[in-house]
Amino acid sequence: MTTSSSTESLARRTLLRFEGALNKIFGNDLNPFYHLGALGFFFFWVVTVSGLYIYVFYDTGVEDAFASVEYLTHEQRYLGGIMRSLHRYASDALVVVMLLHLLREFILGRYRGARWFAWFTGVPLIWLLLAAGINGYWMVWDKLAQYSAVTIIEWFDWLPIFSVPMAGYFISAETLDNRFFTLMSFFHVTVPLFILFLFWVHIMRISYPVVNPKRGLALGMLLAMLVLSLVSPALSQGPADLGIEPGSVGVDWFYLFVSPLLDKWSAGQVWALVGGITLLLGVLPWLPHRFRQIPIAEVSLKNCNGCRRCVADCPYEAVVMRPRSDGLHFAEEAVVTPDRCVSCGICAGACPSSTPFRSEADYVSGIEMPSLPMHGLRAAMTADLAKLQGDVRVMVFGCDNAADIGKLRSAGVAVMSLPCTAMLPPSFIEYALHERQVDGVFITGCRESDCYHRMGGVWTAQRLAREREPRLRGRVELGRIRQYWASSADFSGLASELESFRASLRNGRLT
Amino acid sequence: MIKPLQYMGQGLFYALFFGVIGYFSTWPTYTYLQPDETLIKLSFGHAGQLKEACRERTPEELAKLPMYQRKVTTICPSRERADVVVELEMDGKQLYHVVLPPTGFAHSGTSNIYRRIPVKAGVHTLKARLKDHIGEEFNFMHEETVHLVPGRIMVIDFKSATGGFIFKNKNTTQG
Ligand code: HEM
Ligand code: SF4
Ligand code: SF4
């Protein structure tokens, strides 16, 4: 067990503070920063639907392309124009949420160890998305398209791919043929399809991925996008004319920033930048750092009855059920996929064999964290509880990724920090409360909807509400249990909540 | 927090989020060519001459060959072509100089150029020269006084079959 580091980065503190403010405004379940990946999916679908509509009216051809988009924008302002605006703004929003998502996962450190997979598969998404957007801007074939196409193609000419410079084809309308437009519209369908495929790969190793934002958030985003589309509809910037250099263009900085950059830097330098960013992001999960993952979950077949609870609760698809291999009369057994396990311990919290009401001192659960075995936790807890003094003794369970509960320790308060709060089997709560070892149990962990291990908060709340296995037993008095979710930025709130809990226990006992 | 305040906060967030998106989707405008500037683009491909000229076989040489080989009467020591050298002068000052090696592994392909050169608009005398052999002198030259209008891209093409350089898309020609 580690306690959360006191040298927490400024970026992390700032992020937590900002998200705390958003929680006040949106509530945790609608906080956009907790749903950046899901918002990415949402904007992708808006882009798809609006794109399909535009596609119906799009003509390929040096002259026809521009004219068909103009028709849509002006003759059909009420629908086509809005669809075009939604298509543009949702694409822009997609870049914004993707970058925020990347930044957030980075700041929270959720890209190392077994999590490398989502991170690594996210990297090509950045470039594919930018490519699709740039491609989209070319489809319009206005002055901006011309500027972007010529600069980008000059940039690609730097690579030793083509022996004849491709930019030469963009010298005049005569050298540019309609096949260019056919090719563009082909790519504008296939690249997004490939992106969708990569989305799927991206979340392949995540259980219960959140791919749809809550309705309130989606509606808010859609409404705001509609307002923007009406106030500032997407417009073209005059037809392209390869004989005239526009000289000055309104740039979509989310997608087209490369072109102005190419004006300041050489093609080689910009390629070096792109290559450098890709390489850096690509190897980031393997760069040296202080983070050490504790040994991964281990199954003890003798203690596994094949109940599937660990499979249901693992947030990273790291446990699977296989046919029984040891001759016991159960149909299945749990098997851990080593390179997927992030060592959160949630599976151990789910396993019925983890219960501390077992007689052996060195009992083993069906699935456990080898460095934090259940019998060890029971022994540590029992020892701590024996030392508690005073009239209101409380056991606090928390997690290593949220508020530092070590600071809550006092004569009447014992604490136990786990890799994830959901590593705690509810039976441990019953155990602490039985025979009045303590007067109350206080449960904390990452902020609601923001569990570092994704599902820990939800599973814990559901287990305590007796909605999910392993359920808290019915005989436990709910008044003796309190949940309060707090990140490292919410320590003072956590401390006062604990005090109020103790006060209520004290009053309850006095009456 | 009470509900109305929350809704106001959400509205503010959405306004900010899509305000930023709306703004940066078009602004700030990017200007990369000043109002008094224009572009000259050099864009063409030209195959340089062979480094070593082919020659006819002498009757004696032919006589030495087996019958079936005698149809080919020229021999080319190498398919390698000379670099193509292009120079552009504006109002007597050199604007651009480039040596274009032939493409292909055997250096037997065309030499290609695509180059964008920003210049001040106005009346200019442009002199383009090209050399496509291993010797010293430029064997193609074209000089013309042109009126370059801001933003209008003058294209310099080259076709040896029609005598060399062609200045295209210029506004007016004087002299
Ligand atoms: C538009 C593109 C993207 C979309 C739509 C997207 C979507 C998602 C979704 C839905 C999840 C699952 C969230 C959850 O349910 O917990 C996720 C996880 C993740 N994404 Fe992305 N993502 C995108 C791009 C990226 C990029 C560019 C990176 C970084 C290079 C990245 C890094 C990650 C990581 C590290 C996780 C896993 C976090 C964890 O282990 O819990 N994603 N993404
Ligand atoms: S510790 Fe258990 S729940 Fe967590 S990732 Fe590993 S197998 Fe899954
Ligand atoms: S929760 Fe425990 S008993 Fe159930 S399948 Fe997993 S390891 Fe086996």
Side-chain angles (χ1 to χ4, degrees):
Chain A
M1 274 172 284
T2 57
T3 49
S4 37
S5 107
S6 51
T7 56
E8 189 174 51
S9 76
L10 179 67
R12 191 185 154 102
R13 260 179 295 160
T14 312
L15 179 71
L16 288 175
R17 205 157 300 153
F18 181 69
E19 290 180 349
L22 285 181
N23 281 338
K24 292 216 174 79
I25 296 171
F26 283 89
N28 295 47
D29 59 334
L30 294 189
N31 185 336
F33 270 58
Y34 293 167
H35 301 92
L36 292 167
L39 283 173
F41 270 83
F42 170 72
F43 288 125
F44 183 84
W45 294 126
V46 175
V47 171
T48 306
V49 171
S50 55
L52 284 175
Y53 184 84
I54 306 175
Y55 215 70
V56 172
F57 297 91
Y58 184 73
D59 289 329
T60 56
V62 178
E63 242 106 80
D64 303 346
F66 181 80
S68 67
V69 178
E70 281 298 274
Y71 161 79
L72 206 65
T73 311
H74 298 291
E75 307 303 314
Q76 240 200 63
R77 193 172 321 153
Y78 53 93
L79 186 57
I82 288 180
M83 284 295 186
R84 181 183 180 196
S85 304
L86 286 181
H87 195 65
R88 175 182 293 185
Y89 295 134
S91 305
D92 288 334
L94 184 48
V95 170
V96 174
V97 294
M98 175 184 68
L99 292 180
L100 290 174
H101 169 59
L102 179 157
L103 206 67
R104 185 170 191 277
E105 301 299 332
F106 173 72
I107 291 175
L108 298 179
R110 307 205 316 166
Y111 58 91
R112 304 183 189 116
R115 285 183 173 84
W116 71 271
F117 186 82
W119 178 269
F120 193 76
T121 53
V123 178
L125 273 173
I126 305 172
W127 304 126
L128 280 167
L129 199 63
L130 290 180
I134 292 170
N135 179 182
Y137 270 105
W138 293 6
M139 302 267 289
V140 182
W141 208 235
D142 62 346
K143 290 191 175 8
L144 177 62
Q146 174 188 345
Y147 166 67
S148 171
V150 172
T151 48
I152 297 272
I153 287 179
E154 286 173 359
W155 183 43
F156 271 79
D157 276 336
W158 183 88
L159 299 173
I161 311 176
F162 313 107
S163 59
V164 180
M166 300 306 281
Y169 293 108
F170 290 80
I171 282 290
S172 73
E174 292 85 62
T175 48
L176 187 69
D177 74 52
N178 287 346
R179 266 178 304 177
F180 170 65
F181 290 87
T182 317
L183 203 66
M184 269 199 308
S185 43
F186 171 74
F187 278 126
H188 205 54
V189 174
T190 45
V191 174
L193 274 176
F194 189 62
I195 289 176
L196 187 61
F197 167 73
L198 264 187
F199 277 2
W200 174 73
V201 174
H202 184 60
I203 53 171
M204 217 155 62
R205 295 193 174 182
I206 287 180
S207 323
Y208 315 99
V210 184
V211 292
N212 288 312
K214 291 262 167 57
R215 193 174 307 164
L217 183 58
L219 274 178
M221 288 288 177
L222 194 63
L223 207 70
M225 235 177 343
L226 266 173
V227 171
L228 176 61
S229 301
L230 290 170
V231 174
S232 178
L235 300 172
S236 305
Q237 304 185 24
D241 176 349
L242 291 170
I244 306 284
E245 192 61 45
S248 186
V249 280
V251 172
D252 183 319
W253 294 90
F254 301 105
Y255 282 100
L256 306 178
F257 58 88
V258 181
S259 296
L261 188 61
L262 282 163
D263 198 22
K264 309 279 180 224
W265 290 10
S266 72
Q269 284 170 324
V270 179
W271 277 120
L273 181 76
V274 168
I277 291 176
T278 312
L279 192 74
L280 183 70
L281 290 178
V283 303
L284 203 62
W286 295 278
L287 289 185
H289 45 71
R290 282 183 306 170
F291 165 83
R292 286 286 167 271
Q293 191 177 326
I294 58 170
I296 61 166
E298 218 173 79
V299 175
S300 155
L301 275 190
K302 233 175 35 194
N303 296 287
C304 168
N305 65 15
C307 72
R308 288 179 161 258
R309 286 183 192 170
C310 51
V311 179
D313 281 8
C314 172
Y316 290 99
E317 303 258 340
V319 199
V320 287
M321 298 309 289
R322 292 267 160 75
R324 205 71 197 190
S325 65
D326 61 354
L328 287 191
H329 66 282
F330 306 110
E332 292 178 314
E333 65 188 36
V335 177
V336 176
T337 313
D339 62 344
R340 293 194 179 190
C341 177
V342 302
S343 307
C344 62
I346 293 179
C347 49
C351 185
S353 307
S354 293
T355 174
F357 295 98
R358 284 177 63 182
S359 46
E360 319 97 281
D362 289 344
Y363 80 95
V364 177
S365 179
I367 188 163
E368 288 218 274
M369 307 316 291
S371 60
L372 296 167
M374 284 295 161
H375 71 83
L377 296 183
R378 180 179 69 178
M381 180 173 80
T382 314
D384 271 1
L385 294 188
K387 282 183 255 162
L388 286 185
Q389 293 164 356
D391 54 344
V392 218
R393 295 153 309 152
V394 172
M395 178 74 213
V396 179
F397 292 106
C399 97
D400 299 341
N401 308 293
D404 179 4
I405 57 168
K407 291 190 277 181
L408 296 173
R409 200 189 299 270
S410 69
V413 177
V415 301
M416 177 176 286
S417 185
L418 300 163
C420 177
T421 305
M423 182 176 167
L424 183 75
S427 46
F428 265 71
I429 301 172
E430 297 152 21
Y431 190 82
L433 286 171
H434 98 289
E435 293 170 359
R436 275 291 160 84
Q437 290 196 75
V438 285
D439 303 291
V441 172
F442 190 88
I443 311 269
T444 182
C446 306
R447 283 171 176 170
E448 260 171 272
S449 306
D450 184 31
C451 171
Y452 179 78
H453 292 299
R454 303 188 53 254
M455 309 308 293
V458 181
W459 294 165
T460 303
Q462 290 183 357
R463 290 169 186 171
L464 297 191
R466 296 156 181 156
E467 291 163 358
R468 181 181 196 86
E469 296 294 354
R471 295 161 210 258
L472 186 70
R473 293 289 172 82
R475 61 173 188 268
V476 175
E477 284 176 72
L478 288 182
R480 299 203 171 272
I481 303 176
R482 180 153 312 172
Q483 301 172 50
Y484 184 81
W485 306 96
S487 77
S488 54
D490 314 316
F491 184 79
S492 59
L494 176 70
S496 53
E497 183 73 13
L498 177 62
E499 274 326 299
S500 97
F501 178 51
R502 295 185 76 196
S504 80
L505 289 172
R506 187 176 292 123
N507 296 339
R509 208 146 113 188
L510 292 176
T511 52
Chain B
M1 203 188 273
I2 43 165
K3 274 275 162 189
L5 264 182
Q6 274 190 314
Y7 283 131
M8 269 166 59
Q10 294 185 9
L12 204 69
F13 176 87
Y14 288 126
L16 207 72
F17 187 77
F18 282 103
V20 165
I21 285 176
Y23 180 77
F24 287 105
S25 71
T26 318
W27 292 279
T29 302
Y30 185 67
T31 302
Y32 55 97
L33 208 60
Q34 294 314 311
D36 62 342
E37 281 181 331
T38 188
L39 292 183
I40 296 175
K41 282 188 180 178
L42 283 154
S43 172
F44 55 84
H46 172 63
Q49 296 176 22
L50 291 172
K51 276 194 168 170
E52 290 178 70
C54 299
R55 60 174 177 86
E56 292 293 312
R57 294 184 203 267
T58 60
E60 298 80 61
E61 280 175 331
L62 278 175
K64 278 191 210 137
L65 290 174
M67 272 315 255
Y68 68 93
Q69 284 184 358
R70 290 186 193 172
K71 268 201 185 141
V72 186
T73 57
T74 51
I75 47 169
C76 299
S78 149
R79 287 161 56 221
E80 208 172 313
R81 294 182 183 279
D83 292 344
V84 171
V85 181
V86 180
E87 280 188 2
L88 188 63
E89 258 179 29
M90 188 166 91
D91 305 324
K93 274 207 294 281
Q94 189 168 80
L95 258 191
Y96 188 55
H97 166 93
V98 68
V99 179
L100 306 163
T103 50
F105 289 115
H107 303 292
S108 57
T110 52
S111 296
N112 299 305
I113 183 172
Y114 170 85
R115 178 78 197 188
R116 175 162 52 103
I117 306 165
V119 293
K120 284 267 177 279
V123 178
H124 297 290
T125 304
L126 285 172
K127 186 161 104 182
R129 302 201 293 171
L130 181 145
K131 154 176 115 63
D132 63 357
H133 56 89
I134 49 175
E136 286 303 311
E137 101 279 6
F138 283 82
N139 46 338
F140 289 96
M141 206 277 280
H142 181 80
E143 186 167 351
E144 194 174 328
T145 300
V146 291
H147 182 195
L148 301 178
V149 183
R152 192 175 171 107
I153 306 164
M154 199 193 84
V155 176
I156 299 184
D157 196 358
F158 183 91
K159 286 201 173 64
S160 56
T162 53
F165 285 105
I166 314 155
F167 290 4
K168 292 175 169 172
N169 199 34
K170 62 210 168 190
N171 197 30
T172 45
T173 313
Q174 301 152 357

